[in-house]
Coordinates of all heavy atoms in Angstrom, one line a residue:
V1 N -7.2 -0.4 -8.7 CA -8.0 -0.5 -7.4 C -7.5 -1.7 -6.7 O -7.7 -2.9 -7.2 CB -9.5 -0.7 -7.8 CG1 -10.3 -0.6 -6.6 CG2 -9.8 0.6 -8.8
L2 N -7.2 -1.6 -5.4 CA -7.0 -2.7 -4.5 C -8.1 -2.6 -3.3 O -8.2 -1.6 -2.6 CB -5.6 -2.5 -3.8 CG -4.5 -2.6 -4.7 CD1 -4.1 -1.3 -5.5 CD2 -3.2 -3.0 -4.1
R3 N -8.8 -3.8 -3.2 CA -9.8 -3.8 -2.2 C -9.4 -4.7 -1.1 O -9.4 -6.0 -1.2 CB -11.1 -4.3 -2.7 CG -12.3 -4.3 -1.9 CD -13.6 -4.5 -2.7 NE -13.8 -3.4 -3.5 CZ -14.7 -3.3 -4.6 NH1 -15.4 -4.4 -4.8 NH2 -14.7 -2.2 -5.4
P4 N -9.1 -4.0 0.1 CA -8.4 -5.0 1.2 C -9.5 -5.9 1.8 O -10.7 -5.7 1.9 CB -8.2 -3.8 2.2 CG -8.1 -2.5 1.5 CD -9.2 -2.8 0.5
E5 N -9.1 -7.1 2.0 CA -9.8 -8.0 2.8 C -10.2 -7.7 4.2 O -9.6 -6.8 4.7 CB -9.2 -9.4 2.8 CG -8.8 -10.1 1.4 CD -10.2 -10.9 1.0 OE1 -11.2 -10.8 1.7 OE2 -10.0 -11.6 0.0
E6 N -11.2 -8.3 4.7 CA -11.5 -8.1 6.2 C -10.3 -8.3 7.1 O -9.6 -9.3 6.9 CB -12.7 -8.9 6.6 CG -13.2 -8.6 8.0 CD -13.9 -7.3 8.0 OE1 -14.6 -6.8 7.0 OE2 -14.0 -6.6 9.0
G7 N -9.9 -7.3 7.9 CA -8.7 -7.5 8.7 C -7.5 -6.7 8.1 O -6.5 -6.7 8.8
I8 N -7.6 -6.2 6.9 CA -6.5 -5.4 6.4 C -6.9 -4.0 6.5 O -8.0 -3.6 5.9 CB -6.2 -5.8 4.9 CG1 -5.9 -7.4 4.9 CG2 -5.1 -5.0 4.4 CD1 -4.7 -7.7 5.7
E9 N -6.2 -3.1 7.1 CA -6.4 -1.6 7.3 C -6.2 -1.0 6.0 O -4.9 -1.0 5.5 CB -5.7 -1.2 8.4 CG -5.6 0.4 8.6 CD -7.0 1.0 8.8 OE1 -7.7 0.6 9.7 OE2 -7.4 1.9 8.0
P10 N -7.1 -0.3 5.2 CA -6.9 0.3 4.0 C -5.8 1.4 4.2 O -4.9 1.6 3.3 CB -8.3 1.0 3.7 CG -9.2 0.1 4.4 CD -8.5 -0.3 5.7
R11 N -5.8 2.2 5.2 CA -4.8 3.2 5.4 C -3.3 2.7 5.5 O -2.4 3.3 4.8 CB -5.1 4.0 6.6 CG -6.4 4.9 6.6 CD -6.6 5.6 7.9 NE -6.8 4.5 9.0 CZ -6.5 4.8 10.3 NH1 -6.2 6.0 10.7 NH2 -6.7 3.8 11.3
W12 N -3.2 1.6 6.1 CA -2.0 0.8 6.1 C -1.4 0.5 4.9 O -0.3 0.7 4.5 CB -2.1 -0.3 7.2 CG -0.9 -1.2 7.2 CD1 0.1 -1.1 8.1 CD2 -0.6 -2.4 6.4 NE1 1.0 -2.1 7.9 CE2 0.7 -2.9 6.8 CE3 -1.3 -3.1 5.4 CZ2 1.2 -4.0 6.3 CZ3 -0.7 -4.2 4.8 CH2 0.5 -4.7 5.3
M13 N -2.4 0.0 4.0 CA -2.0 -0.5 2.7 C -1.7 0.6 1.7 O -0.7 0.5 1.1 CB -3.3 -1.2 2.0 CG -2.9 -1.8 0.6 SD -4.4 -2.6 -0.1 CE -4.3 -4.2 0.7
A14 N -2.3 1.8 1.9 CA -2.1 2.9 1.1 C -0.7 3.5 1.3 O 0.1 3.9 0.5 CB -3.2 4.0 1.3
Q15 N -0.4 3.5 2.7 CA 1.0 4.1 3.1 C 2.1 3.2 2.7 O 3.1 3.7 2.4 CB 0.9 4.3 4.6 CG 0.0 5.4 5.1 CD 0.5 6.9 4.8 OE1 1.5 6.9 4.1 NE2 -0.2 7.8 5.1
L16 N 1.8 1.9 2.7 CA 2.8 0.9 2.3 C 3.1 1.2 0.8 O 4.3 1.3 0.4 CB 2.3 -0.5 2.3 CG 3.1 -1.6 1.8 CD1 4.3 -1.8 2.7 CD2 2.4 -2.9 1.6
L17 N 2.1 1.6 0.0 CA 2.4 1.8 -1.4 C 3.2 3.1 -1.7 O 3.7 3.4 -2.8 CB 1.2 1.8 -2.2 CG 0.3 0.4 -2.2 CD1 -0.9 0.6 -3.0 CD2 1.1 -0.7 -2.7
L18 N 3.2 3.9 -0.7 CA 3.9 5.3 -0.8 C 5.4 5.2 -0.6 O 6.0 6.2 -0.6 CB 3.3 6.3 0.1 CG 1.7 6.7 -0.5 CD1 1.1 7.6 0.7 CD2 1.9 7.5 -1.7
R19 N 5.8 4.1 -0.1 CA 7.3 3.9 0.3 C 8.0 3.9 -1.1 O 7.6 3.5 -2.1 CB 7.5 2.5 0.8 CG 7.1 2.5 2.3 CD 7.3 1.2 3.0 NE 8.6 0.6 2.7 CZ 9.0 -0.5 3.3 NH1 8.3 -1.3 4.1 NH2 10.3 -1.0 2.9
H20 N 9.0 4.7 -1.1 CA 10.0 5.0 -2.3 C 10.4 3.5 -2.8 O 10.6 3.4 -4.1 CB 11.2 5.8 -1.9 CG 10.7 7.2 -2.0 ND1 11.6 8.2 -1.8 CD2 9.7 7.8 -2.3 CE1 11.1 9.5 -1.8 NE2 9.8 9.1 -2.2
D21 N 10.8 2.6 -1.9 CA 11.3 1.2 -2.5 C 10.1 0.6 -3.2 O 10.4 0.0 -4.2 CB 11.9 0.4 -1.3 CG 10.9 0.2 -0.2 OD1 9.9 1.0 -0.1 OD2 11.1 -0.8 0.5
V22 N 9.0 0.7 -2.7 CA 7.9 0.0 -3.4 C 7.7 0.8 -4.8 O 7.4 0.1 -5.7 CB 6.6 0.1 -2.6 CG1 5.3 -0.4 -3.3 CG2 6.8 -0.7 -1.3
R23 N 7.5 2.1 -4.7 CA 7.5 2.8 -6.0 C 8.6 2.6 -7.0 O 8.3 2.5 -8.2 CB 7.3 4.3 -5.7 CG 6.0 4.8 -5.2 CD 5.8 6.2 -5.2 NE 6.1 6.8 -3.9 CZ 6.2 8.0 -3.5 NH1 5.9 8.9 -4.4 NH2 6.3 8.5 -2.2
R24 N 9.9 2.5 -6.6 CA 10.9 2.1 -7.5 C 10.7 0.7 -8.2 O 10.9 0.6 -9.3 CB 12.2 2.2 -6.7 CG 12.6 3.6 -6.5 CD 14.1 3.7 -6.0 NE 14.3 3.1 -4.7 CZ 14.3 3.6 -3.6 NH1 14.1 5.0 -3.5 NH2 14.6 3.0 -2.5
S25 N 10.3 -0.2 -7.3 CA 10.0 -1.6 -7.8 C 8.9 -1.5 -8.9 O 8.9 -2.2 -9.9 CB 9.6 -2.5 -6.7 OG 10.7 -2.6 -5.8
A26 N 7.8 -0.7 -8.6 CA 6.7 -0.6 -9.5 C 7.2 0.0 -10.8 O 6.8 -0.4 -11.8 CB 5.6 0.3 -8.8
Q27 N 8.0 1.1 -10.8 CA 8.6 1.7 -11.9 C 9.4 0.7 -12.8 O 9.3 0.7 -14.1 CB 9.4 2.9 -11.4 CG 9.9 3.7 -12.7 CD 10.8 5.0 -12.1 OE1 11.5 4.8 -11.2 NE2 10.6 6.0 -12.8

């Protein structure tokens, strides 16, 4: 669970995590 601080758009954060390079790093 990631709870964005005030001023951080949740949708922006979720889409960031869907990038393949982020997922490969997570893997």
Side-chain angles (χ1 to χ4, degrees):
V1 182
L2 292 85
R3 184 162 299 163
E5 291 277 6
E6 188 71 27
I8 303 297
E9 169 62 52
R11 294 175 299 159
W12 175 87
M13 180 180 286
Q15 294 291 0
L16 173 73
L17 298 181
L18 288 170
R19 287 175 48 171
H20 278 176
D21 58 338
V22 174
R23 280 189 262 178
R24 284 193 294 267
S25 296
Q27 187 179 33

